[in-house]
Amino acid sequence: MNLFSLFKKRNYIYFYHKLKPYSKSVKKGMLDYSDYDSLDDLSNYFKIADFKKIVVVASGPSAKKIVPEKDALYFCCNDSINIVKSMPHVYVVHDPFYLTLYLKSFMASEKWLGTIFWIIDNNSKVNSNSFEKVLHYILRKHRNKREFLITNYKYNKSSELLHKELTESLKEDFNFTYQSINSGFNTLMLAAVLACRKNKVLEIYGLDMGIGGNQYYNKKASIGKSISGDHNKEIVKDFLNQLYKRKNKIYNASNFMNYEDVKIDKPIQE
């Protein structure tokens, strides 16, 4: 057996999930989520009405531009949680690697308001494995804040209703059909729906789609097609264009399609 193969990302995820014990922040027992079956329930749980703005934080290099604000609620993903961990934040977990790390090792902080797993049944083996991992956890364990599994896989009625309302909101409010691109885009879609429903300012950082170099905000990296591919850029561009048509105040500080206080009659800058 080649020992070095154990450290390949796919194998590392498998063995980490199998062998790593849960952190001390994880408690035994399943929580009841039957009272959380609408976007209003999510908004109320995260107290979105109490915040001036919602800020999306992906992991691209432009995330370094953020100046933390106490009256903002941050929706973060992957490593970007380290930028906003001292501020009120919701963690959106989608990437299989960070999902594995989260389930076993995430240490809740005082400013962490909860976590959202939005996992879609799109006939993908990756998504199927992610769903099974989260389901195994959420039926047996919990942390001191809510961890919402939103999915169209068979889990429970509340979860399916949340998924249905989210995808219908994307279609009705943004004329957009959900498409899975990467963690940053998943985070943006969630935050955009919630922000627009509560008429909150929406800011976006780190959704750079590979513009700005082969790097994240904190390290150099090989940027894959899920980030820099032309097809995925077009999908993100379509959603941003729909977002900019709304009356909500938008500030996109990302390197991809960035401009401030967009109006529908302003030209798109790329």
Side-chain angles (χ1 to χ4, degrees):
M1 179 180 181
N2 183 356
L3 291 178
F4 289 105
S5 69
L6 295 177
F7 297 97
K8 291 182 178 179
K9 193 170 185 180
R10 183 174 60 183
N11 292 336
Y12 178 78
I13 291 173
Y14 174 82
F15 286 108
Y16 190 96
H17 181 70
K18 290 289 185 181
L19 302 177
K20 173 74 175 177
Y22 287 102
S23 69
K24 293 181 180 179
S25 66
V26 177
K27 301 177 175 65
K28 292 182 179 180
M30 178 182 67
L31 297 181
D32 182 11
Y33 283 86
S34 60
D35 291 335
Y36 300 96
D37 58 10
S38 72
L39 295 180
D40 283 341
D41 293 334
L42 276 188
S43 295
N44 292 337
Y45 181 78
F46 294 129
K47 299 181 179 179
I48 287 176
D50 295 346
F51 294 94
K52 180 180 178 181
K53 64 178 69 172
I54 289 180
V55 182
V56 175
V57 192
S59 299
S62 67
K64 292 186 291 186
K65 299 177 184 178
I66 287 179
V67 178
E69 301 175 64
K70 292 183 179 180
D71 58 356
L73 174 60
Y74 295 86
F75 276 66
C76 56
C77 62
N78 300 353
D79 270 345
S80 70
I81 191 173
N82 294 317
I83 300 175
V84 299
K85 61 185 177 183
S86 64
M87 309 304 294
H89 60 274
V90 176
Y91 199 23
V92 181
V93 184
H94 181 261
D95 178 87
F97 176 72
Y98 286 95
L99 171 63
T100 302
L101 291 180
Y102 174 89
L103 292 176
K104 289 298 183 76
S105 299
F106 180 75
M107 296 296 293
S109 67
E110 180 184 352
K111 297 296 185 178
W112 170 66
L113 301 187
T115 293
I116 298 175
F117 310 101
W118 190 13
I119 305 174
I120 308 301
D121 183 0
N122 60 356
N123 297 316
S124 161
K125 184 65 174 177
V126 172
N127 281 14
S128 177
N129 288 340
S130 293
F131 169 73
E132 292 296 336
K133 286 180 180 179
V134 175
L135 185 66
H136 183 271
Y137 166 81
I138 212 165
L139 293 179
R140 296 165 177 81
K141 308 286 184 181
H142 68 276
R143 290 177 167 86
N144 65 343
K145 299 287 176 62
R146 292 281 176 169
E147 300 158 298
F148 297 95
L149 172 55
I150 301 174
T151 185
N152 57 341
Y153 285 102
K154 293 300 180 183
Y155 162 46
N156 65 31
K157 190 65 175 178
S158 297
S159 175
E160 292 174 22
L161 287 172
L162 277 169
H163 166 73
K164 182 180 180 182
E165 190 176 2
L166 267 171
T167 52
E168 288 180 350
S169 293
L170 286 172
K171 191 66 177 176
E172 294 171 5
D173 298 337
F174 302 102
N175 192 29
F176 186 83
T177 300
Y178 171 89
Q179 296 191 60
S180 180
I181 300 299
N182 55 46
S183 296
F185 188 53
N186 243 37
T187 305
L188 172 61
M189 287 188 289
L190 271 166
V193 168
L194 294 173
C196 291
R197 281 182 164 241
K198 294 299 181 181
N199 197 30
K200 297 294 180 180
V201 174
L202 181 67
E203 295 186 1
I204 309 165
Y205 294 84
L207 191 70
D208 298 321
M209 302 303 292
I211 298 175
N214 287 319
Q215 58 183 339
Y216 297 115
Y217 78 92
N218 58 347
K219 62 184 178 182
K220 291 185 177 181
S222 177
I223 303 299
K225 288 185 177 180
S226 68
I227 296 174
S228 61
D230 290 339
H231 177 67
N232 287 352
K233 284 181 180 179
E234 284 299 314
I235 293 172
V236 176
K237 179 180 177 180
D238 287 345
F239 181 73
L240 287 171
N241 279 330
Q242 293 298 326
L243 182 62
Y244 296 150
K245 291 178 183 179
R246 296 185 60 87
K247 295 180 180 179
N248 303 71
K249 185 175 181 180
I250 309 295
Y251 174 54
N252 182 8
S254 301
N255 293 331
F256 183 71
M257 293 180 65
N258 62 319
Y259 54 105
E260 188 172 359
D261 296 338
V262 177
K263 292 181 170 56
I264 186 59
D265 57 349
K266 289 182 70 173
I268 300 298
Q269 299 176 7
E270 294 189 45

